[in-house]
Amino acid sequence: MNRFENKVAIITGAASGIGEATTARLRSEGGTVVGIDRDPINDVDMAIQLDLLDLDAIKPAVSQVVNAYGRIDVLCNIAGIGHFARDEDETLEAWNRIIGVNLTGTFFMSQACLPHLFESQGCIVNTASTAGTNAQPWSSAYSASKGGVIALTQTMASTNGRSGIRVNCIAPGGVETEIYKQFMPPEDVDLTLIAIMEPFHRPAQASELAAAFAFLASDDASYCNGIVLRVDGGTKA
Ligand SMILES: NC(=O)c1ccc[n+]([C@@H]2O[C@H](COP(=O)([O-])OP(=O)(O)OC[C@H]3O[C@@H](n4cnc5c(N)ncnc54)[C@H](O)[C@@H]3O)[C@@H](O)[C@H]2O)c1
């Protein structure tokens, strides 16, 4: 398949996990991929190292892409962070950081790309989570950010659909990536709640998520707009 031939995609979170796998997948299908991450990125056509909490850096980064390639066809907002915290212990700093990367970063990346996506009749694929579709213990900030991504996706899809662009999101369940290290259960909590998060039979590999991102980012999904595609092996079925 060469679904991304002559297309330029921006992928945030491209240095690791699902973003890295999606970068490889789109490139393997002929796409030119610009990776954005706070960490160094390998195996990409252009790497832009930036912290999505630095909102002033977003528009210049998008301009850099347009100056280099003249177009943007796909934006995959994949960068994300999270943690477990007891509600009583959550801090404003951590709350703002999680909402800032996962939700605010997703919106302002999208806003900066919109004019170019209107021009190319392109699309956006956001990253929610089953923590945004269903309960996940000790995850109020993370779940709120991912629920926000779902609402944002649906709203932007409906607002901008008539202009010819599509906005969808993927809600992964458990995926074997580095993000797991950020989710350490707080002390003195009821650990039986972990059962809510257990994958159906096995966690996903990042490449299995990349396949779903590639589908929604491609013309194969030309009539998908505003959808939340759960990719969780049936955990929340
Ligand atoms: N792995 C899972 O089980 C799982 C489940 C549901 C949803 N998700 C979501 O999938 C997405 C990808 O996560 P992953 O599992 O690949 O984790 P990961 O930690 O491997 O990758 C996340 C990437 O985002 C980047 N990033 C984080 N904060 C950033 C910032 N401020 N600015 C720029 N880049 C930043 C990191 O450097 C990293 O490269 C996230 O949005 C995550 O919430 C993951």
Side-chain angles (χ1 to χ4, degrees):
M1 281 191 288
N2 255 355
R3 293 181 293 184
F4 299 100
E5 207 159 41
N6 302 320
K7 292 193 174 181
V8 176
I10 296 181
I11 298 182
T12 74
S16 172
I18 300 169
E20 185 180 18
T22 302
T23 298
R25 177 68 191 243
L26 266 56
R27 293 186 82 211
S28 77
E29 292 196 37
T32 299
V33 177
V34 178
I36 291 184
D37 206 292
R38 63 179 176 193
D39 289 342
I41 309 159
N42 298 314
D43 298 326
V44 75
D45 297 287
M46 176 191 277
I48 300 178
Q49 208 169 336
L50 69 76
D51 187 333
L52 287 166
L53 290 170
D54 179 6
L55 295 177
D56 291 339
I58 289 180
K59 272 193 181 156
V62 169
S63 298
Q64 194 183 330
V65 178
V66 175
N67 289 339
Y69 296 112
R71 58 186 297 128
I72 299 169
D73 299 277
V74 173
L75 168 65
C76 295
N77 285 304
I78 304 183
I81 54 169
H83 75 169
F84 283 148
R86 291 153 54 102
D87 288 331
E88 307 90 293
D89 299 334
E90 185 59 285
T91 64
L92 180 61
E93 191 277 329
W95 175 276
N96 283 341
R97 195 158 25 88
I98 291 167
I99 300 284
V101 176
N102 298 359
L103 182 56
T104 314
T106 293
F107 177 70
F108 284 100
M109 273 302 305
S110 303
Q111 185 195 61
C113 290
L114 264 187
H116 310 290
L117 295 172
F118 287 142
E119 215 165 289
S120 65
Q121 298 288 277
C123 67
I124 298 173
V125 189
N126 293 326
T127 310
S129 166
T130 49
T133 59
N134 296 73
Q136 178 171 298
W138 320 302
S139 302
S140 291
Y142 185 70
S143 298
S145 75
K146 295 302 188 178
V149 166
I150 292 172
L152 172 67
T153 299
Q154 293 170 162
T155 296
M156 286 189 66
S158 125
T159 308
N160 301 296
R162 286 186 188 157
S163 304
I165 71 160
R166 300 180 295 107
V167 186
N168 293 295
C169 72
I170 290 177
V175 191
E176 254 182 41
T177 68
E178 293 295 302
I179 209 171
Y180 265 109
K181 295 178 185 158
Q182 298 166 25
F183 287 87
M184 290 299 141
E187 279 176 21
D188 301 327
V189 291
D190 176 3
L191 287 174
T192 61
L193 280 173
I194 286 266
I196 293 174
M197 296 179 61
E198 271 169 13
F200 190 44
H201 56 113
R202 64 167 174 87
Q205 297 302 308
S207 60
E208 295 175 289
L209 271 298
F213 275 93
F215 165 64
L216 283 181
S218 78
D219 291 342
D220 282 343
S222 53
Y223 207 62
C224 294
N225 192 24
I227 73 164
V228 184
L229 179 58
R230 247 191 321 103
V231 181
D232 71 343
T235 307
K236 302 298 183 196

